[in-house]
Amino acid sequence: MAKTKTKPNTNITPALTWTWLKMNGASVNLKEMPISTDAKTVENKNSKDSVNVESTGLNTKIEAKSAVQTPILLHYEFEDGKRYSGEQTVTAEENAEVTVIMDYTSEKNAGGISEIKTKLIAKPYSKIHLVKVQLLGSGFTQIDDTQCEADENAFIDVTQIELGGKDVYAQVKAELNGYKSKFKSDTAYIAKENQLLDMNYAVNHHGADTDTKMHAKGVVDGNATKVYRGTIDFKNGCHGATGDEQEETLLLSPAATNKSLPVILCDEEDVSGTHGATLGRLGADELFYMQSRGISEDEAKKMMSRAKIISVANLIPNDEIIEKIADFIDN
């Protein structure tokens, strides 16, 4: 009997590599279940003159007209056995600035499906800071897709924390269309037990003097599998563009699986791109030092994991969210 091949349908890398590496994309098979829309609360303490927020169920439209002083909070609390689907659009008009914080939570052992699509549109000289914090229960499948467009001198900053869930597929794509537009991402993660964390980051440079900085760091433990694809693509005409992507992974288990694919594509001569991936384990010297001071191996692993996550979490302009992340790690 011939084997059935499943075609990847999400997190597809812009440049295909050898099929046997299984890095070209991810396949997601979702159970059929009704979609729920009762999981979101919006907190907006800003003037209507500076920002307009419209929400229907899990769908939200945010339009920043000027500098928005207080972050807009979108809190998602999911229930066990349900499927959630929602879309958000964040638009920053010319010279506007806005920060949007989204966090997903559920009971510790809850399971279900979450499908979230987010689009960021940064007009000339504007700035968008998007924060996504995923703290779902151990049975959830999370599919998170973020699409970004940046005009002239616009800046898009994405901070992403991935800690919970069972199978997590996180994708961020950016189009740097305008002159001197910029994209920056900071990602932190812990993949443990039998978790699957599959990530795909891709930035296309179209405008001249555009800039990308992508940083990811995290921990892989137990029987978990972590996949990271990072692509910077210098398109024809983006002369003077620069890009840098770095990933740092700490392996805490011999049974853990780590796959990293940093890629730079180039169709323009006058550009500068760098990339790197670091993979390491907790060294014997580090363990000895900690144990000589009364810190057990388990406690040492926890400290190292916590430090990596909190270093990125501190970029979030909300103390309550940072505390929630710390509590999730500690528990």
Side-chain angles (χ1 to χ4, degrees):
M1 182 180 293
K3 293 183 178 180
T4 301
K5 294 184 179 180
T6 303
K7 184 179 180 181
N9 54 17
T10 189
N11 288 6
I12 297 173
T13 183
L16 300 181
T17 184
W18 293 281
T19 304
W20 59 267
L21 289 175
K22 298 181 179 180
M23 293 286 288
N24 289 329
S27 300
V28 185
N29 296 315
L30 300 177
K31 296 180 180 179
E32 291 294 331
M33 59 178 65
I35 295 177
S36 299
T37 60
D38 56 351
K40 180 186 62 60
T41 58
V42 179
E43 182 179 341
N44 176 25
K45 299 180 180 179
N46 297 280
S47 167
K48 292 183 179 180
D49 294 334
S50 61
V51 63
N52 181 43
V53 180
E54 297 179 4
S55 292
T56 304
L58 293 176
N59 302 317
T60 303
K61 290 185 178 180
I62 299 171
E63 182 183 3
K65 305 171 187 177
S66 58
V68 180
Q69 301 301 321
T70 305
I72 296 170
L73 304 181
L74 303 180
H75 175 62
Y76 298 80
E77 190 166 344
F78 296 156
E79 295 181 5
D80 182 48
K82 292 187 176 182
R83 178 172 181 169
Y84 297 90
S85 179
E87 296 186 16
Q88 305 81 36
T89 301
V90 181
T91 303
E93 297 295 340
E94 188 169 348
N95 293 308
E97 295 184 13
V98 64
T99 296
V100 178
I101 301 175
M102 303 168 57
D103 74 298
Y104 319 97
T105 62
S106 71
E107 293 295 327
K108 183 176 181 180
N109 296 318
I113 298 172
S114 165
E115 299 172 272
I116 302 295
K117 295 181 179 180
T118 308
K119 186 172 184 178
L120 309 180
I121 303 172
K123 300 291 182 67
Y125 297 91
S126 67
K127 178 180 179 181
I128 298 176
H129 184 194
L130 174 68
V131 177
K132 288 190 172 184
V133 179
Q134 188 269 111
L135 307 175
L136 291 173
S138 58
F140 261 93
T141 295
Q142 165 91 338
I143 303 173
D144 194 298
D145 184 17
T146 303
Q147 303 287 328
C148 313
E149 296 178 8
D151 287 337
E152 179 184 354
N153 280 284
F155 177 34
I156 293 179
D157 186 3
V158 177
T159 304
Q160 199 149 359
I161 309 289
E162 298 286 352
L163 298 180
K166 180 181 183 294
D167 298 324
V168 178
Y169 305 89
Q171 177 170 256
V172 179
K173 289 186 175 182
E175 305 291 337
L176 299 183
N177 297 318
Y179 170 68
K180 283 194 173 182
S181 55
K182 296 181 179 180
F183 174 82
K184 176 175 173 284
S185 67
D186 292 277
T187 305
Y189 58 85
I190 295 178
K192 60 189 184 301
E193 298 173 353
N194 294 306
Q195 277 183 299
L196 167 65
L197 174 59
D198 190 293
M199 296 177 285
N200 185 40
Y201 285 70
V203 181
N204 294 319
H205 288 250
H206 301 280
D209 292 343
T210 47
D211 179 66
T212 291
K213 289 181 175 61
M214 295 194 297
H215 298 149
K217 62 172 65 175
V219 176
V220 188
D221 199 1
N223 294 305
T225 297
K226 186 230 78 182
V227 180
Y228 177 83
R229 308 171 191 82
T231 304
I232 297 175
D233 192 348
F234 295 109
K235 301 291 187 180
N236 185 27
C238 71
H239 53 86
T242 55
D244 176 67
E245 56 173 319
Q246 301 294 329
E247 190 206 1
E248 179 185 324
T249 304
L250 178 63
L251 279 179
L252 294 182
S253 168
T257 300
N258 178 80
K259 297 181 180 181
S260 298
L261 185 66
V263 174
I264 291 181
L265 305 175
C266 189
D267 194 26
E268 178 62 53
E269 293 184 2
D270 181 23
V271 294
S272 175
T274 57
H275 63 75
T278 303
L279 179 64
R281 299 183 185 275
L282 193 58
D285 291 342
E286 294 171 299
L287 277 176
F288 176 77
Y289 176 84
M290 292 182 179
Q291 289 174 338
S292 67
R293 282 152 179 78
I295 302 173
S296 69
E297 181 174 347
D298 286 344
E299 289 174 330
K301 289 180 178 180
K302 194 175 216 180
M303 289 174 60
M304 296 291 287
S305 301
R306 196 179 197 276
K308 285 187 178 294
I309 304 305
I310 295 302
S311 66
V312 176
N314 284 332
L315 300 173
I316 301 173
N318 185 290
D319 292 338
E320 185 178 341
I321 296 294
I322 297 174
E323 185 176 349
K324 185 183 292 188
I325 293 168
D327 289 343
F328 188 92
I329 298 170
D330 293 341
N331 293 328

